[in-house]
Amino acid sequence: MIRHIVLFTWTEDATAEQQAAVTSELRKLPGLIPQLRSYTVGPDAGITQGNHDYAVVADFDSVDDFALYRDHPDHQAVIAQHIKPILATRAAVQLSL
């Protein structure tokens, strides 16, 4: 199993509407990309200062399934249209479980 974890920090001028659109659009992906086994997305809970603003945690059966998700046109469209316009920083890791 592969677990993909991504952390985003938004730009200072990112609006609440833009941030909500990221969540709305990302939550559509499990219905479009069958390789997603588990998918959790959402803003930081605000418990600890200095955290990233947003996280995505996705599980896949294989590296090939992760690659299909990574390169999927619907996923790439969300990145291009909703994430990149408000993205300040990104960190990601893929774990083999």
Side-chain angles (χ1 to χ4, degrees):
M1 178 183 282
I2 298 297
R3 178 162 291 157
H4 172 60
I5 302 168
V6 184
L7 303 173
F8 300 125
T9 299
W10 304 133
T11 60
E12 288 186 25
D13 61 344
T15 68
E17 292 80 16
Q18 288 173 305
Q19 294 173 47
V22 170
T23 299
S24 175
E25 295 301 314
L26 286 175
R27 286 186 176 161
K28 293 177 184 177
L29 294 180
L32 301 170
I33 306 173
Q35 290 79 13
L36 280 163
R37 292 293 165 241
S38 174
Y39 201 59
T40 304
V41 302
D44 180 64
I47 297 167
T48 303
Q49 277 191 343
N51 283 358
H52 288 273
D53 296 320
Y54 199 88
V56 175
V57 180
D59 290 338
F60 304 90
D61 289 337
S62 68
V63 172
D64 289 340
D65 285 353
F66 164 70
L68 287 169
Y69 161 81
R70 181 194 62 209
D71 300 335
H72 195 282
D74 291 314
H75 177 234
Q76 288 300 313
V78 173
I79 293 168
Q81 296 168 15
H82 299 283
I83 294 173
K84 282 189 178 180
I86 62 171
L87 184 63
T89 65
R90 175 187 179 273
V93 64
Q94 291 81 44
L95 305 172
S96 182
L97 304 178

